[in-house]
């Protein structure tokens, strides 16, 4: 055992939205000093602008281990991560594997760890869109069914887990860790020079992000979205950092040129975290299909139009600025924002306060103290009394 006196923890990141969840926890675990930490990157995202720049801006070191799995079909990617992560666990067996979010690697590492009887904690547990055509929903359901400790961002998460039969003593509401990243970098985000960086007037543009298969993998749907973005850009400029999947599909479907013809749609490479949050903070509204952006706009009170029929983050609609829209309704929804028809105040949900990482560390410490051994943990957390 390399760390006889401290629980040995793997902290696992894989894809762009994971880094802003892992960074605050990495820093909080380091500050605490009570855990031996191995920072693992599965390599699901590998481009510099989808991975390295986020590590750098969020103050994360180079990963201790990069599994280098890369892309592929869902089965190929999931299997690749399972094989590589199992090998790592056999070589450097942790007491706890911490997974975050809902990407393929989250589920793959959970399955590999549980088959080796390693305890798993899931940060951002309990979110449900109830739409199993979304790959992320499958990842969430499987991860939460297997994980030993479930850290949720909001009350709906607790409720969803209870409905799936997860006992209360495995659920802990800790809040939204992405807000920790925003607060840590707030001053650098506020200093982004939007005019110099993106060439549009602060406060007078919209931001667009799109990458979900349901929006970008179908030619007709993506064609409607491109045409509508063109119409909207006749009224005010749109800044559109284009995801690699979306770039591929635009080219494959012959839509890239059509988009480029709208001079007020400003296409950019995927933006870094600080640049992107700077862009969102100074925008008039955001059009997105991302999960995290729905939360960030709610926190900031920026109107958000989500191009999806459902969301696993309902508090962004009930407490925040989020509205679900179809491609056909998008132009009208933007017009309503621009005329102020649907202005409403945003209330960040409880515990979205920049202190989630502290609560996660306290929860992990408490669990490790209560049940330091695996057998003790199983008795305490899987139904048997100690
Ligand atoms: C993945 C996650 C999604 C998350 C998104 C954020 C799953 C099922 N999906 O989707 O939940 O919101 O990340 O981006 O895990 N590619 C590159 N460079 C990269 C990464 C990807 O070129 O660094 C290419 C891949 O080769 C592939 C495409 O982009 O062609 C999609 O990548 P993939 O990781 O499969 O899924 P995302 O759509 O990014």
């Amino acid at each position: 055992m390399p760390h006889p006196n401290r629980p040995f923890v793997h902290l696992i990141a894989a894809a762009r939205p994971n880094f802003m969840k892992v960074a605050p926890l990495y820093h909080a675990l380091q500050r605490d000093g009570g855990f031996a930490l191995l920072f693992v990157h599965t390599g699901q995202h590998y481009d510099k602008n989808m991975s390295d720049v986020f590590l750098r801006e969020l103050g994360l070191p180079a990963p201790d281990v990069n599994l280098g799995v890369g892309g592929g079909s869902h089965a190929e990617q999931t299997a690749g991560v399972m094989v590589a992560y199992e090998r790592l666990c056999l070589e450097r067996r942790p007491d706890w594997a911490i997974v975050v979010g809902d990407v393929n690697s989250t589920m793959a590492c959970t399955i590999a760890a549980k088959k080796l009887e390693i305890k798993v904690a899931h940060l951002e547990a309990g979110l449900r869109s109830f739409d199993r055509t979304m790959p992320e929903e499958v990842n969430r359901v499987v991860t939460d069914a297997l994980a030993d400790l479930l850290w949720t961002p909001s009350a709906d998460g607790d409720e969803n887990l209870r409905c799936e039969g997860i006992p209360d003593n495995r659920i802990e509401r800790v809040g939204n860790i992405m807000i920790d990243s925003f607060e840590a970098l707030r001053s650098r985000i506020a200093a982004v020079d939007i005019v110099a960086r993106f060439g549009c007037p602060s406060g007078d543009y919209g931001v667009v992000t799109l990458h979900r298969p349901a929006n970008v993998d179908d030619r007709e749907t993506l064609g409607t979205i491109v045409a509508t973005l063109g119409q909207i850009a006749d009224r005010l400029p749109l800044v559109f950092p284009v995801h690699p999947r979306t770039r591929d599909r635009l080219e494959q479907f012959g839509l890239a040129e059509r988009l480029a013809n709208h001079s007020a749609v400003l296409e950019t490479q995927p933006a870094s975290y600080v640049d992107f949050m700077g862009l969102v903070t100074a925008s008039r509204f955001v059009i997105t299909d991302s999960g995290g952006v729905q939360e960030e706009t709610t926190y900031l009170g920026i109107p958000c139009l989500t191009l999806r029929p459902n969301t696993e983050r309902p508090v962004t609609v009930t407490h925040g600025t989020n509205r679900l829209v179809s491609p056909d309704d998008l132009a009208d929804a933007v017009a309503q924002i621009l005329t102020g028809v649907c202005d409403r105040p945003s209330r960040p949900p409880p515990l979205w306060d920049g202190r989630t990482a502290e609560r996660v560390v306290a929860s992990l410490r408490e669990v490790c103290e209560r049940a330091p051994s695996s057998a003790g943990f199983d008795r305490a957390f899987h139904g048997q009394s100690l």
Side-chain angles (χ1 to χ4, degrees):
M1 279 292 290
H3 312 286
N5 302 317
R6 294 185 297 167
F8 180 34
V9 172
H10 286 182
L11 182 57
I12 301 165
R16 185 171 64 176
N18 290 165
F19 302 120
M20 31 299 211
K21 296 168 193 168
V22 157
L25 185 51
Y26 177 89
H27 297 305
L29 286 165
Q30 291 289 31
R31 271 195 307 275
D32 182 86
F35 300 88
L37 198 57
L38 190 79
F39 176 31
V40 181
H41 190 328
T42 68
Q44 179 171 340
H45 281 178
Y46 43 85
D47 283 357
K48 282 195 171 10
N49 60 11
M50 298 293 282
S51 176
D52 301 11
V53 67
F54 288 86
L55 300 184
R56 204 168 49 247
E57 285 188 345
L58 292 159
L60 284 166
D64 297 309
V65 176
N66 192 325
L67 303 177
V69 171
S73 71
H74 282 272
E76 286 165 344
Q77 195 171 59
T78 304
V81 174
M82 284 177 66
V83 170
Y85 187 57
E86 180 186 57
R87 198 173 297 134
L88 177 66
C89 287
L90 291 170
E91 283 166 11
R92 304 176 75 175
R93 184 185 174 91
D95 298 299
W96 283 89
I98 301 182
V99 295
V100 304
D102 56 15
V103 301
N104 285 342
S105 302
T106 310
M107 174 182 74
C109 291
T110 301
I111 296 173
K114 288 311 299 173
K115 296 261 180 163
L116 294 171
E117 299 182 28
I118 291 166
K119 294 181 292 271
V120 172
H122 182 207
L123 178 56
E124 199 187 83
L127 299 185
R128 294 289 180 272
S129 65
F130 302 101
D131 174 1
R132 292 199 181 174
T133 65
M134 279 183 81
E136 293 81 3
E137 183 74 354
V138 176
N139 296 340
R140 292 181 200 114
V141 169
V142 173
T143 301
D144 288 346
L146 295 176
D148 301 276
L149 190 52
L150 297 128
W151 290 313
T152 63
S154 45
D156 54 292
D158 304 13
E159 194 49 36
N160 292 334
L161 294 173
R162 279 191 206 107
C163 289
E164 290 172 18
I166 307 226
D168 276 343
N169 65 354
R170 285 165 55 196
I171 305 170
E172 183 148 353
R173 194 174 335 147
V174 292
N176 188 331
I177 195 138
M178 300 235 300
I179 307 307
D180 293 31
S181 278
F182 181 83
E183 286 303 332
L185 292 175
R186 184 185 269 277
S187 56
R188 283 177 59 196
I189 290 167
V192 175
D193 184 340
I194 301 298
V195 180
R197 190 77 191 74
F198 297 99
C200 48
S202 187
D204 207 12
Y205 62 87
V207 178
V208 180
T209 82
L210 289 173
H211 71 282
R212 296 263 165 228
N215 284 326
V216 305
D217 284 3
D218 176 68
R219 190 190 187 289
E220 204 180 316
T221 307
L222 190 56
T224 305
I225 293 172
V226 166
T228 308
L229 294 180
Q231 276 175 38
I232 297 167
D234 288 339
R235 298 187 64 178
L236 90 174
L238 295 177
V239 184
F240 185 5
V242 185
H243 187 281
R245 168 193 282 277
T246 311
R247 169 67 57 212
D248 278 358
R249 297 300 182 270
L250 286 166
E251 275 157 23
Q252 184 187 333
F253 298 149
L255 294 165
E257 207 178 328
R258 205 187 300 171
L259 189 65
N261 284 341
H262 297 291
S263 58
V265 179
L266 309 166
E267 294 176 64
T268 71
Q269 290 289 315
S272 76
Y273 177 72
V274 169
D275 276 353
F276 184 72
M277 290 317 304
L279 196 57
V280 168
T281 306
S283 70
R284 183 76 184 81
F285 60 85
V286 176
I287 296 169
T288 192
D289 58 11
S290 146
V293 176
Q294 295 171 52
E295 299 178 332
E296 286 155 344
T297 47
T298 274
Y299 186 64
L300 296 169
I302 305 283
C304 179
L305 298 173
T306 297
L307 272 171
R308 285 178 46 190
N310 50 50
T311 178
E312 62 289 333
R313 292 158 159 96
V315 290
T316 60
V317 176
T318 53
H319 287 62
T321 53
N322 192 16
R323 251 178 84 189
L324 304 181
V325 294
S326 69
D328 290 335
D329 297 335
L330 181 60
D332 282 348
V334 169
Q336 286 173 7
I337 290 173
L338 295 180
T339 52
V341 172
C342 55
D343 277 355
R344 56 183 174 164
S346 176
R347 298 167 286 135
L351 303 182
W352 292 28
D353 58 0
R355 306 190 62 182
T356 292
E358 281 171 37
R359 288 187 283 271
V360 171
V361 172
S363 163
L364 189 62
R365 196 186 315 117
E366 206 252 330
V367 167
C368 290
E369 282 166 7
R370 246 162 87 197
S373 72
S374 264
F377 179 85
D378 287 341
R379 284 198 300 278
F381 287 88
H382 292 281
Q384 303 165 41
S385 56
L386 270 171

